[in-house]
Amino acid sequence: MTTSAPVPARKEIQITGIRKHVAECVTEINGARCGARSNVWDTAVHLNVWILAHADESEHKKFVKHMEDPVNVYTKPAKGRQ
């Protein structure tokens, strides 16, 4: 019985969902971060509205925008080999 050689493979990343956007207030108050977070949206446009509203309400000035891309890693045969 003959054994075939393993087929070379490569790993690839595939985006598997909708990008998510969220903002967080990182203004320090008495040595600790505020920590207020916006809702999660599928577009970054809403983040600026939330940031401006939070800044108006609290007079906080420092924020961080976060973006997440859900991804999976999968394996497929290397080119040139089937």
Side-chain angles (χ1 to χ4, degrees):
M1 181 180 197
T2 60
T3 305
S4 61
V7 176
R10 67 177 188 192
K11 293 190 185 313
E12 293 193 4
I13 296 174
Q14 180 179 29
I15 296 173
T16 58
I18 297 172
R19 182 173 285 150
K20 298 175 185 175
H21 301 270
V22 65
E24 179 182 6
C25 179
V26 295
T27 303
E28 287 200 20
I29 307 163
N30 301 323
R33 283 185 172 186
C34 167
R37 292 176 66 94
S38 70
N39 290 329
V40 177
W41 290 291
D42 60 1
T43 177
V45 174
H46 302 292
L47 297 182
N48 292 341
V49 173
W50 181 85
I51 289 169
L52 292 172
H54 184 72
D56 284 345
E57 293 170 7
S58 63
E59 298 186 13
H60 294 173
K61 305 291 185 212
K62 289 188 167 189
F63 297 85
V64 175
K65 292 180 180 179
H66 300 281
M67 181 197 64
E68 294 179 7
D69 277 330
V71 299
N72 286 345
V73 175
Y74 67 96
T75 304
K76 69 185 237 181
K79 289 185 178 182
R81 297 271 186 124
Q82 295 275 347

